[in-house]
Amino acid sequence: MKKYTPKSLDPSASDRNHEAYKAGCDLFREESFTEAKLAFEEALAYWPKDAQAWMALGNCQDEVGRPEDAEQCFRPALEYGADKALAAIRFNL
């Protein structure tokens, strides 16, 4: 039986996080918010403390009319975000 390994423990987790995040950004620019949301969720599966992905996921939730879900994404973004990003995250929140 194959042992399950969480995506965040994958040796290439950082690269896969980055790939999924970039794909999400492209989809967001195309206004494909539901698909972008899935890409950002994939990015977070590889790096759960990615503040940028949390913020982007919150922006997707906001675009599809789910402000409460957006708030639930902006909160971890505040927790994991760098000082220079906190003002933008608070603004979105």
Side-chain angles (χ1 to χ4, degrees):
M1 177 184 348
K2 184 176 180 181
K3 185 176 178 179
Y4 172 76
T5 302
K7 289 182 177 183
S8 62
L9 298 178
D10 185 302
S12 60
S14 179
D15 291 336
R16 292 177 186 246
N17 163 270
H18 186 68
E19 289 171 12
Y21 180 81
K22 282 179 28 181
C25 290
D26 291 341
L27 290 163
F28 190 89
R29 277 191 290 280
E30 295 170 5
E31 298 184 5
S32 299
F33 303 118
T34 301
E35 292 84 4
K37 184 173 98 49
L38 295 173
F40 293 128
E41 288 171 343
E42 180 73 8
L44 288 165
Y46 286 106
W47 186 11
K49 294 183 178 183
D50 184 348
Q52 289 179 317
W54 277 113
M55 186 167 172
L57 181 57
N59 289 336
C60 288
Q61 297 286 23
D62 189 51
E63 288 291 341
V64 298
R66 302 184 67 151
E68 295 85 9
D69 291 335
E71 178 184 353
Q72 295 305 312
C73 295
F74 294 140
R75 299 241 176 245
L78 275 175
E79 181 179 345
Y80 303 129
D83 289 341
K84 65 182 181 177
L86 296 181
I89 298 167
R90 283 189 193 103
F91 177 81
N92 284 14
L93 183 58

